[in-house]
Amino acid sequence: MPRLKIPGLLSAGLLSAALMAAATPAAVAQDVTIGAIGPLTGPAANTGKAHKEGLELAVKEWNEGKGDYVSQNPPKIKLVMEDSNSKPEVGISAAQRLITRDQVKLIIGDTLHSHVTLALMEMAPQYNIPILSAEPVASAIADKVMADPDRFKLFWKGGYNSDGYGIAVHDFYAWAFEKGTLAPGDKKIAFVVEDTDYGIANAKKIGELFEKDGWSVVATETVPTVTTDFYPQLSKLRDADPDVLVSVFTVVNSGVAFVRQLQEQALETSHLAIYYPTKPEFMAQAADIAEGMYWAALQYAPELDADQKAFSDRIEAEFGAPANYSHAHAFCTMEIALRAIDKAGTEPEALAKEIGATDYDCLLGRIQFAEDHAIKAGADFVPIPVAQIQEGKNQLIWPENVASAKPK
């Protein structure tokens, strides 16, 4: 993308003054170090690796003169990424190293986990440093901001709230029932979710919305994040006999195991999965056994989107493998940070304010922040479409205006 151009109507005198000013030391942009924290080891290491590559590509292109700049003199950027190991206490230690050792001016973190972010966001007021999370969506993060907005004025959430998933899942099923694609049966819904703020928040919001329509939540089973044995939960679900089953995991091995065991148990229910089918490993291992499954949210589909395909090609050229959703989300999160630093500099309050003023079209949609400091979700912002696996491939089926196929 081109750098900004000097307007052609500048008079010769003004142009000379501008060029002289640009040549002074005060006009030379300083190098800026950005820190990032994500799961580079542990059960979510694959996602952390994708985040690292997405962040690195954004910084590399920025420093090579290929960024989407705000100013005529953008700073050079250095990125330092630390491991959270999916643990809040490890993430806190990583943030302290980035702040005291590396003198970072902004932290992107946690790149994946809501429970790590809930701890990390406390570092913003404690160390007077802007923090921008990436994928975490638990509404508890935004609730914490709204409970004390002055304390968390330096913190921004690069993901939408879990309310967004809840509304999308509810509205999709309401549409499918109205269209006759699915039958509501006895109006019973059940959940199997990972025992994290992310999993629990999704189940809570979706359950509340269905209950308003007269549905009953007949089971909410929570499991540790690395669970691969779901037979105890599936036995309970057989007795509960839900009409809709929602599963939420961030670790792809859990998702593959759940789908496989669900098929073995042959439960007659409509199954919708959240998050784990975004991982290409899931499709590689489970596409055949997940045939017909619904899932949210298919926001990254390079086979259907030319810009996302071009991005995937750039990731593959740099790192040897195509991009996935997490690469794209990390790239866009870094773009938010880079453009804010370019425009506002590194004074903490000015930088945080500029992040909050973001209005930017990136790979996943139009990025704006709401009053609760989370990015906005919906058709006009970052959409949360529902997909279905049909003949071993992902197809967008809802909303209808973006659908690539009809539901089966």
Side-chain angles (χ1 to χ4, degrees):
M1 299 178 183
R3 290 172 181 263
L4 294 181
K5 297 179 180 178
I6 299 172
L9 295 180
L10 279 174
S11 68
L14 289 174
L15 180 59
S16 297
L19 292 174
M20 289 178 65
T24 63
V28 175
Q30 300 296 309
D31 290 357
V32 175
T33 301
I34 295 175
I37 300 170
L40 299 178
T41 60
N46 281 351
T47 300
K49 177 175 179 288
H51 287 149
K52 186 171 186 289
E53 292 174 351
L55 297 171
E56 288 179 346
L57 182 66
V59 170
K60 181 176 186 290
E61 292 183 345
W62 183 272
N63 288 338
E64 290 178 347
K66 303 172 185 174
D68 195 4
Y69 308 106
V70 178
S71 78
Q72 299 175 36
N73 191 25
K76 294 289 186 182
I77 302 296
K78 178 183 177 183
L79 171 65
V80 181
M81 186 161 184
E82 291 278 338
D83 182 19
S84 70
N85 191 239
S86 302
K87 299 175 181 175
E89 66 275 16
V90 179
I92 290 293
S93 296
Q96 290 170 333
R97 287 195 298 276
L98 290 170
I99 295 167
T100 59
R101 180 195 66 196
D102 299 300
Q103 303 291 305
V104 300
K105 302 302 182 185
L106 177 145
I107 290 175
I108 295 175
D110 191 76
T111 61
L112 178 64
H113 294 297
S114 295
H115 63 293
V116 180
T117 297
L118 283 163
L120 278 179
M121 62 192 292
E122 293 289 346
M123 306 292 278
Q126 184 176 348
Y127 286 90
N128 192 38
I129 184 168
I131 296 179
L132 171 65
S133 62
E135 281 199 51
V137 301
S139 296
I141 299 170
D143 292 344
K144 198 169 177 177
V145 172
M146 292 301 288
D148 195 344
D150 187 59
R151 176 174 174 77
F152 294 108
K153 61 187 176 184
L154 300 183
F155 173 82
W156 295 88
K157 183 183 178 189
Y160 43 78
N161 290 328
S162 44
D163 291 12
Y165 273 122
I167 293 168
V169 172
H170 168 267
D171 290 357
F172 160 69
Y173 272 107
W175 170 84
F177 297 144
E178 182 181 346
K179 292 285 185 180
T181 303
L182 295 169
D186 296 325
K187 293 189 173 182
K188 295 188 292 186
I189 186 169
F191 301 90
V192 179
V193 303
E194 65 179 28
D195 189 11
T196 63
D197 294 291
Y198 174 68
I200 293 170
N202 272 293
K204 180 181 179 183
K205 182 64 181 179
I206 296 167
E208 289 174 351
L209 292 171
F210 272 73
E211 285 177 330
K212 287 181 180 178
D213 291 344
W215 283 61
S216 299
V217 177
V218 294
T220 300
E221 297 291 325
T222 58
V223 297
T225 53
V226 294
T227 297
T228 55
D229 178 5
F230 293 97
Y231 291 110
Q233 290 76 29
L234 290 170
S235 294
K236 295 180 181 178
L237 292 179
R238 180 174 294 284
D239 294 337
D241 191 25
D243 301 289
V244 171
L245 170 62
V246 178
S247 62
V248 186
F249 311 113
T250 55
V251 176
V252 69
N253 287 346
S254 293
V256 171
F258 181 78
V259 171
R260 190 179 302 282
Q261 292 161 31
L262 178 64
Q263 185 195 50
E264 291 173 3
Q265 296 297 308
L267 293 181
E268 294 184 1
T269 182
S270 173
H271 177 215
L272 187 145
I274 290 180
Y275 186 75
Y276 56 88
T278 63
K279 302 300 179 186
E281 309 96 279
F282 177 82
M283 291 299 291
Q285 298 177 46
D288 55 339
I289 58 174
E291 182 68 21
M293 184 183 80
Y294 305 115
W295 67 275
L298 180 53
Q299 297 166 315
Y300 182 77
E303 67 277 17
L304 304 173
D305 185 299
D307 290 340
Q308 293 181 352
K309 177 63 169 63
F311 171 74
S312 183
D313 290 344
R314 303 207 306 275
I315 285 286
E316 186 166 12
E318 190 70 23
F319 300 104
N324 60 43
Y325 169 79
S326 292
H327 286 95
H329 198 129
F331 183 90
C332 289
T333 303
M334 180 59 84
E335 283 289 308
I336 295 170
L338 293 173
R339 288 169 56 80
I341 290 171
D342 191 15
K343 187 169 184 178
T346 58
E347 193 283 320
E349 287 205 24
L351 174 53
K353 185 177 180 181
E354 194 59 41
I355 291 172
T358 296
D359 186 351
Y360 184 58
D361 284 314
C362 198
L363 292 163
L364 304 177
R366 180 184 177 188
I367 299 173
Q368 279 191 354
F369 289 90
E371 182 184 7
D372 60 7
H373 288 203
I375 66 170
K376 299 178 181 177
D380 295 329
F381 299 100
V382 176
I384 307 179
V386 172
Q388 185 180 31
I389 298 175
Q390 298 180 357
E391 298 178 357
K393 296 181 180 179
N394 286 314
Q395 297 288 355
L396 285 167
I397 59 169
W398 182 88
E400 287 180 284
N401 64 333
V402 299
S404 59
K406 294 185 179 298
K408 294 182 178 178

